[in-house]
Amino acid sequence: MDTPRTVSDEDFLRLDHQICFSLHAAARAFNSVYRTALKDLGLTYPQYLVMLVLWEHGELPVKRIGEHLRLDSGTLSPLLKRLEAAGYVERRRSAEDERSVTARPTPAGTALRERALGVPRRIAAATGLPLEEVRALRARLDELTTALDTAGSAALPGDCVPDD
Amino acid sequence: MDTPRTVSDEDFLRLDHQICFSLHAAARAFNSVYRTALKDLGLTYPQYLVMLVLWEHGELPVKRIGEHLRLDSGTLSPLLKRLEAAGYVERRRSAEDERSVTARPTPAGTALRERALGVPRRIAAATGLPLEEVRALRARLDELTTALDTAGSAALPGDCVPDD
DNA sequence: GGCCATTTAGTTGTGCACAACTGAATCGTG
DNA sequence: CACGATTCAGTTGTGCACAACTAAATGGCC
């Protein structure tokens, strides 16, 4: 097969350690900063993401929330129950389609939005990066996610190097 | 009302949704690709990271592994037990310091390394990015992690806005 | 030596992520 | 209409991440 350049598997194993780990570590570091920023609101970071979606769309079926966040019911069902127990979200079976359950913010959930307005600014400050760079990084990460998703759904050709 | 220069909290709330979420999604997408790539080896992604560290260093106390991966004993203790149960790792109390427990690959664990050599190449192919870009992205992520870590330990100034 | 703070693994409890499954509702096709 | 396939939420089980804690060993200090 074509070895584009002679990068040994040994080198790859070391490099790999750095790439994947960097992403892993960055995600956890972000999570940690959000944890402290959201503690006052009584939200975890994934719960905050769900609230962002609901604040924007008002009322959504679980399925739609999952599409926005790329999460399935196995993750969302218990999460939404906790948000309901906290009084921030209402759930009910849809009348038109009894299979579907819709979630929407309660008045308390809507009020929470006001207190959440300051959070993004604090996070942005914590990154120490100008907005432009953050935006560029986001674009790069989205490309990466798309590539990984398609590669994953394409059953991982394995030794097919991406020039085809 | 608001000019492009003064970014409103509303805008931030939307932008934030994209930035933090992009990182979150990218990390999960990576995790998913690793999951399939590592299934044959019987390793999860975090277990693979631990094995990478042990392959490189031979024998390490739990504490040192945690420093390499930024993980604490609450995460590593059960993970190492599972690696031990799988036969890839040996653990034993240090003779010099009875508090410390060291872990090292068993012969089976060392042999596993050969089968793991192909993994990074498959992951790199799945990203669809040239090595240079991956390297640049890694550097950017490491900067970000460092910034987030220091901001976190500095108790989050909160209202210290970068500028605008 | 005796005492106390620190270090180190480990445990417990909570929450997220995901695979695999269940069960009910719905849809499509004959 | 009937019936099989599909869709949807939920449950179960496994594993990771992390906070808060325990328990044992160590080291410093008087």
Side-chain angles (χ1 to χ4, degrees):
Chain A
M1 280 299 181
D2 48 32
T3 40
R5 238 135 265 120
T6 49
V7 182
S8 77
D9 285 334
E10 301 287 334
D11 293 339
F12 256 118
L13 210 52
R14 178 162 291 114
L15 187 66
D16 164 80
H17 176 20
Q18 296 179 10
I19 299 163
C20 61
F21 171 66
S22 293
L23 197 82
H24 202 62
R28 284 189 292 130
F30 247 117
N31 208 316
S32 171
V33 172
Y34 271 101
R35 192 190 312 275
T36 63
L38 293 171
K39 197 160 71 173
D40 293 347
L41 307 187
L43 293 179
T44 67
Y45 173 51
Q47 289 169 5
Y48 171 69
L49 290 179
V50 169
M51 292 308 295
L52 282 179
V53 171
L54 292 182
W55 285 329
E56 190 166 342
H57 293 91
E59 177 161 16
L60 279 180
V62 173
K63 176 77 175 191
R64 294 278 164 276
I65 300 174
E67 284 170 2
H68 281 291
L69 300 178
R70 294 166 178 264
L71 292 172
D72 67 354
S73 67
T75 300
L76 286 176
S77 286
L79 192 156
L80 286 169
K81 274 192 184 176
R82 283 186 283 271
L83 283 178
E84 189 176 39
Y88 294 143
V89 152
E90 268 180 6
R91 294 186 306 149
R92 57 163 198 203
R93 287 269 159 199
S94 163
E96 307 86 56
D97 188 340
E98 289 282 341
R99 293 171 302 183
S100 176
V101 167
T102 62
R104 64 174 172 183
T106 61
T110 304
L112 193 65
R113 186 173 188 276
E114 304 306 313
R115 295 209 287 142
L117 284 177
V119 169
R121 210 177 279 272
R122 291 173 66 185
I123 303 296
T127 65
L129 294 179
L131 271 189
E132 271 319 305
E133 292 220 26
V134 175
R135 215 177 296 244
L137 184 58
R138 180 187 70 73
R140 194 58 55 95
L141 288 172
D142 286 345
E143 290 171 20
L144 192 57
T145 302
T146 304
L148 290 173
D149 278 352
T150 59
S153 61
L156 265 191
D159 43 4
C160 131
V161 186
D163 59 350
D164 45 43
Chain B
M1 28 197 325
D2 47 19
T3 70
R5 187 164 305 107
T6 60
V7 182
S8 75
D9 283 335
E10 301 287 333
D11 292 338
F12 254 119
L13 209 52
R14 175 163 292 117
L15 187 66
D16 163 81
H17 175 19
Q18 297 180 9
I19 298 164
C20 60
F21 171 66
S22 293
L23 197 84
H24 201 62
R28 284 188 292 129
F30 247 117
N31 208 315
S32 170
V33 172
Y34 271 102
R35 192 190 311 275
T36 64
L38 293 171
K39 197 159 71 174
D40 292 347
L41 307 186
L43 292 179
T44 67
Y45 174 51
Q47 287 168 7
Y48 170 69
L49 289 178
V50 168
M51 291 309 295
L52 283 179
V53 171
L54 291 181
W55 285 329
E56 189 166 345
H57 293 91
E59 177 161 17
L60 280 180
V62 175
K63 175 77 176 189
R64 295 277 163 276
I65 301 175
E67 285 170 2
H68 281 290
L69 300 178
R70 294 165 178 266
L71 292 171
D72 67 356
S73 67
T75 299
L76 286 176
S77 288
L79 192 155
L80 286 170
K81 274 192 184 176
R82 282 186 284 269
L83 283 177
E84 189 176 39
Y88 294 143
V89 152
E90 269 180 8
R91 294 185 308 148
R92 58 164 197 204
R93 289 266 158 201
S94 163
E96 307 87 57
D97 188 340
E98 290 282 341
R99 295 170 302 181
S100 177
V101 167
T102 62
R104 64 174 172 184
T106 61
T110 304
L112 194 65
R113 185 174 188 277
E114 305 305 313
R115 295 208 288 141
L117 283 178
V119 169
R121 210 178 278 272
R122 291 173 65 184
I123 303 295
T127 64
L129 294 178
L131 271 189
E132 272 318 305
E133 292 219 26
V134 176
R135 216 177 294 245
L137 184 58
R138 181 187 68 75
R140 194 61 55 94
L141 288 172
D142 286 345
E143 291 171 20
L144 192 57
T145 301
T146 305
L148 290 173
D149 278 353
T150 58
S153 61
L156 268 193
D159 41 8
C160 131
V161 185
D163 67 348
D164 73 352

